[in-house]
Amino acid sequence: MSVIDPVAPRAAGRPKKLIANPMAKIAALPMIMTALVIFIGCSVWTVVHSFTKSKLLPSSQFVGFDQYERLWSTRRWLASVENIAIYGLVALVFSLVVGFVIAVLLDQKVRAEGAFRTIILFPYSLSFIVTGLVWQWILNPDFGIQYIVRGWGFENFTFDPLHNPDTVLAALLMAGLWQGTGLVAVILLAALRGVDEDIWKASRVDGVPAWKTYIWVVIPILRPAFVTATVLIATGIVKLYDLVVALTNGGPGIASEMPAKYVYDAMFGKQNLGQGFAASTMMLLSVLLILIPWAIFEFRGKKRG
Amino acid sequence: MKTSIMRGLLAGVATFVMPFAAGATDLEVTHWWTSGGEANAVQELAKAFESTTGHHWVDGAIAGSGNTARPVIISRIIGGDPMAATQLNHGKQAQELIEAGLMLDLTDIAEEGKWAEIVQPKSLLDACTVDGKVYCVPLNIHSIQWMWTSNAAFEKAGIDPVNNWEELKAAAPKLREAGILPLAMGEQGWQEAYLVHNLLSGTSEDLYYAVYRDKDEDALNSDGVKAVFNELAAAREMSAGGNVQDWNLATAKVINGEAAAQVMGDWAQGEFALAGKKAGQDYNCLIAMGGEPSIATGGDAFYFPLNKDPEITAAQKDLAKVLISPESQVAFNLKKGSLPVRGDVDLAAAGPCMQKGLETLAAGKVITGTDQLITPDAVGQIQDLMAEFFGSDMTPEDAHAAFVEIILNDE
């Protein structure tokens, strides 16, 4: 976009722009239709039906805000929202910070960097279900870490985060970060490689310590990579479902329930589509609440640039 | 796990061989019978079906409990990719599917086979009937009103085996001292919810019906119901430290004598049998946890989603006939630990626990299952509530208040 002179198309008039390059537009039509029908159309359908009394099958008997009233007075939903807020915040900050630190360490021209990179990225190639099961075994007190440490002679050692409502989110974070941080590190490492060598030379000439250069010079340059990483992490957080199902199944009690799991259980387990639609509409709304201001901010920034 | 892989391989081999057999149709049958005892039982059905009709049973076992399998089954039916036959529980689970015309009408088979005369108790066939038409084959009667106790565990603790819930509570401290878990309970809402239902029906049949059928506000707030929630708090204490999720792993603790008791449906019998344990000698079964002995006749039924292929429809009807035949009723139910749906079969080989169930059934001590009285929505909410209660330090009073809300708002 930035290559084309912004004034020219406007002077030529809009209609010409619409029919310009028709083959490309025809080629894009299926994608545009998919976006309109699948994403927008189905979302609207879901939102509309969240105001109905749909049970196992969709119905068109409207009940106003009943489903939402029930949703926000259900303890399991409230717990889910709280859990995802805590999980999301910690996961976002932690994977960015740790991912960046790993990327910087890998960037120090270490020997066998390829091997380290593979090890760090490896967890990402596993599905969440596998990750969840593996960590369930690691954290199981009967044959996991607790069992091993007790075998070393520490008889009173207790480590059972999965069965304690206060620590189960930490266990979930452990597994989630173990899997996700590697990807962030690799994305940021690739971006670090793109930083001009001259910047480092200039800062060295000026006698600026390396950590200051990273924080004040390199991080701003890595902004696009950080945005990519943030979007990837954020989508992973919103759709968090399989890891919870495999690791804790929402337990103990409802201490690790997540909104996506509430939606699934309401729609298919409780055969109450209306309730599931209301919950998924709230999820959509929360994503939009974060996305729209961010998109506006980004869009304006580019225009000015 | 191993057996299901083997079965899958065999099914794969069979599809290569079967085309040569004339008139044979592949029928995909989905169910959630995946524990050792259950898989053994379902094998009996497959054997009977294949040997008597020449059709082919394609096993579609879905791992996990009914709560995992039902969504898969229902979404496949709604999504236009129906299996040929599927297990579901009696009650309201399939009602909307039937009303939407997605299920095969079996009325002609039912009339031909005189189901109305042979199915006992009659309520099972009623649960399959919508507007005078029959849509499912009742397969077995399962009751959840059971407590299983391990004699070895009580022996280890140096006390006599308990005969009811109260005695178990009294024995709990001594069991703990001996390093035995007093109550094994899978940390899943559906298992914990059984305790509520059983404590209620064990208190009295009238209270049970007043709560679930009449949804009577006074009854819900009566001392009887409040007392049930105090018992739940006791159960929470007795089961603390169990750290198991699946019901069969909890049963395994009772089988090994690591835990003293488990409240679970009669399908737990299959696990005991598989482990070579003898009722009365190694373990005991207590109806209604030693309270008023009555059993709910819920259970499994087979539904046949409507299919366009006439060959499949014919094979579906053949399967329906096989399922209710006396031979498969005996073979299946003996392995499964459930009771047959027909009163005219001989169950001489039944163990003492099954005999107890049959006697209760014959005496007419039968109550309607919760699945038939409240909607899946309310069932699910009670399960959520129990999961929360057992997984936190929620007070019995709060849990009781939430329970009352759920029942009163159930349509």
Side-chain angles (χ1 to χ4, degrees):
Chain A
M1 277 305 272
S2 56
V3 185
I4 305 161
D5 180 5
V7 188
R10 219 175 287 157
R14 276 212 153 258
K16 201 169 179 189
K17 195 186 172 193
L18 262 182
I19 52 162
N21 203 356
M23 289 320 278
K25 287 193 172 111
I26 290 169
L29 207 60
M31 194 54 230
I32 294 169
M33 289 307 290
T34 311
L36 282 180
V37 175
I38 309 270
F39 294 114
I40 312 231
C42 292
S43 301
V44 169
W45 189 91
T46 303
V47 174
V48 168
H49 280 81
S50 71
F51 294 99
T52 66
K53 226 173 110 176
S54 301
K55 287 285 185 187
L56 176 62
L57 300 170
S59 98
S60 45
Q61 195 183 338
F62 285 91
V63 290
F65 281 91
D66 280 11
Q67 300 285 12
Y68 291 90
E69 261 168 47
R70 176 171 150 193
L71 183 69
W72 285 105
S73 57
T74 304
R75 303 160 73 114
R76 185 178 151 186
W77 171 255
L78 297 175
S80 303
V81 171
E82 196 186 313
N83 288 343
I84 204 158
I86 297 170
Y87 179 92
L89 203 68
V90 179
L92 191 68
V93 172
F94 196 89
S95 49
L96 281 179
V97 171
V98 174
F100 182 69
V101 170
I102 292 174
V104 168
L105 291 177
L106 278 178
D107 198 30
Q108 306 305 312
K109 315 243 156 32
V110 286
R111 203 175 291 170
E113 189 206 308
F116 283 117
R117 225 170 33 203
T118 311
I119 291 169
I120 284 165
L121 192 60
F122 184 70
Y124 191 72
S125 67
L126 299 178
S127 83
F128 262 133
I129 295 290
V130 176
T131 306
L133 283 176
V134 167
W135 279 87
Q136 197 188 41
W137 292 332
I138 294 175
L139 299 174
N140 188 310
D142 293 332
F143 43 81
I145 293 175
Q146 176 177 314
Y147 175 77
I148 293 168
V149 176
R150 282 192 185 178
W152 292 338
F154 302 95
E155 289 295 330
N156 293 322
F157 179 78
T158 325
F159 185 67
D160 188 14
L162 285 182
H163 297 100
N164 180 347
D166 300 325
T167 54
V168 68
L169 277 186
L172 208 59
L173 277 163
M174 245 184 266
L177 291 171
W178 175 77
Q179 182 173 45
T181 310
L183 181 76
V184 178
V186 171
I187 290 174
L188 293 179
L189 179 63
L192 275 176
R193 291 285 147 83
V195 174
D196 198 338
E197 272 298 310
D198 292 342
I199 290 174
W200 284 108
K201 285 179 193 152
S203 71
R204 232 168 279 146
V205 168
D206 288 343
V208 183
W211 66 269
K212 270 194 177 168
T213 316
Y214 271 117
I215 290 175
W216 299 110
V217 182
V218 175
I219 289 182
I221 293 174
L222 295 191
R223 199 185 124 98
F226 272 108
V227 170
T228 309
T230 309
V231 169
L232 285 176
I233 301 166
T235 50
I237 292 166
V238 174
K239 68 178 186 191
L240 185 67
Y241 171 80
D242 27 13
L243 182 65
V244 183
V245 169
L247 190 61
T248 66
N249 204 14
I254 55 169
S256 61
E257 289 288 349
M258 291 291 158
K261 188 163 174 290
Y262 184 92
V263 171
Y264 178 83
D265 286 348
M267 281 200 202
F268 303 107
K270 301 200 184 85
Q271 305 185 353
N272 191 341
L273 285 179
Q275 185 64 203
F277 289 155
S280 53
T281 303
M282 292 317 302
M283 284 175 73
L284 178 71
L285 200 67
S286 65
V287 171
L288 290 181
L289 276 179
I290 298 168
L291 207 66
I292 289 176
W294 178 75
I296 290 173
F297 179 75
E298 277 293 300
F299 187 63
R300 273 197 189 150
K302 275 202 186 113
K303 249 189 174 171
R304 230 179 282 134
Chain B
M1 221 26 219
K2 232 178 216 162
T3 54
S4 69
I5 291 169
M6 273 310 288
R7 231 182 303 139
L9 286 174
L10 284 176
V13 171
T15 45
F16 278 108
V17 181
M18 285 318 277
F20 299 103
T25 312
D26 284 357
L27 275 198
E28 188 195 1
V29 187
T30 53
H31 56 85
W32 56 88
W33 290 314
T34 49
S35 80
E38 293 173 330
N40 260 353
V42 79
Q43 252 333 72
E44 292 293 330
L45 290 182
K47 255 190 266 168
F49 176 61
E50 295 192 341
S51 62
T52 54
T53 66
H55 296 305
H56 183 59
W57 172 292
V58 180
D59 200 78
I62 302 171
S65 63
N67 285 354
T68 320
R70 263 191 304 273
V72 178
I73 291 166
I74 288 170
S75 62
R76 274 189 61 187
I77 296 173
I78 296 176
D81 175 30
M83 61 300 290
T86 186
Q87 172 202 5
L88 281 173
N89 298 122
H90 298 288
K92 303 197 171 184
Q93 286 169 359
Q95 197 174 327
E96 277 194 66
L97 294 173
I98 294 169
E99 282 164 3
L102 292 167
M103 290 296 183
L104 182 67
D105 179 2
L106 300 169
T107 314
D108 47 338
I109 306 274
E111 275 169 7
E112 188 191 312
K114 299 201 169 58
W115 290 6
E117 288 164 34
I118 57 171
V119 175
Q120 287 295 336
K122 234 184 126 314
S123 64
L124 288 179
L125 196 58
D126 294 342
C128 282
T129 312
V130 175
D131 295 333
K133 288 182 180 162
V134 179
Y135 288 93
C136 65
V137 187
L139 182 65
N140 60 1
I141 300 168
H142 263 312
S143 41
I144 61 170
Q145 288 75 12
W146 295 87
M147 185 159 79
W148 310 89
T149 57
S150 160
N151 287 352
F154 288 107
E155 209 171 288
K156 196 176 160 203
I159 41 179
D160 289 336
V162 298
N163 292 313
N164 56 45
W165 180 252
E166 287 302 322
E167 287 179 26
L168 180 69
K169 280 200 298 184
K174 279 205 170 156
L175 289 166
R176 283 276 189 204
E177 261 172 50
I180 290 164
L181 186 70
L183 183 68
M185 182 125 87
E187 290 163 358
Q188 289 168 346
W190 66 270
Q191 299 178 45
E192 293 150 352
Y194 281 175
L195 206 51
V196 187
H197 306 325
N198 293 352
L199 285 165
L200 275 170
S201 67
T203 310
S204 84
E205 208 172 292
D206 293 339
L207 185 69
Y208 177 84
Y209 279 128
V211 167
Y212 289 122
R213 185 184 58 201
D214 309 331
K215 301 175 174 72
D216 179 48
E217 199 168 351
D218 294 333
L220 279 164
N221 287 312
S222 66
D223 290 340
V225 176
K226 283 179 184 159
V228 163
F229 281 84
N230 287 326
E231 296 302 321
L232 288 175
R236 179 167 61 186
E237 235 158 76
M238 287 198 281
S239 64
N243 291 354
V244 282
Q245 297 278 331
D246 294 319
W247 69 268
N248 51 336
L249 299 183
T251 311
K253 285 196 182 239
V254 181
I255 292 175
N256 301 335
E258 289 168 44
Q262 182 192 17
V263 174
M264 186 39 62
D266 52 11
W267 49 91
Q269 241 177 127
E271 300 297 304
F272 283 104
L274 200 67
K277 301 284 176 185
K278 292 259 176 310
Q281 202 176 321
D282 302 309
Y283 69 99
N284 280 314
C285 46
L286 307 166
I287 294 190
M289 311 191 302
E292 189 187 329
S294 49
I295 56 175
T297 55
D300 301 302
F302 264 85
Y303 287 80
F304 301 86
L306 210 56
N307 218 292
K308 284 193 195 102
D309 189 342
E311 271 180 30
I312 290 188
T313 309
Q316 283 176 324
K317 291 190 173 173
D318 286 344
L319 177 57
K321 283 181 208 158
V322 169
L323 291 176
I324 204 159
S325 70
E327 298 78 27
S328 11
Q329 280 288 317
V330 173
F332 175 78
N333 286 311
L334 281 179
K335 289 254 167 94
K336 184 80 163 61
S338 51
L339 306 176
V341 294
R342 38 196 300 168
D344 59 350
V345 294
D346 179 30
L347 270 186
C353 288
M354 252 168 113
Q355 295 292 3
K356 264 195 208 177
L358 285 169
E359 279 161 29
T360 316
L361 204 62
K365 288 284 207 177
V366 171
I367 51 175
T368 314
T370 46
D371 281 343
Q372 279 140 277
L373 295 172
I374 51 178
T375 64
D377 194 14
V379 172
Q381 287 182 74
I382 294 171
Q383 292 175 356
D384 284 351
L385 174 66
M386 283 304 111
E388 186 184 2
F389 180 79
F390 276 89
S392 66
D393 49 7
M394 191 178 193
T395 64
E397 289 75 28
D398 287 349
H400 172 252
F403 178 76
V404 171
E405 272 302 292
I406 292 167
I407 297 292
L408 288 181
N409 288 323
D410 189 37
E411 295 149 45

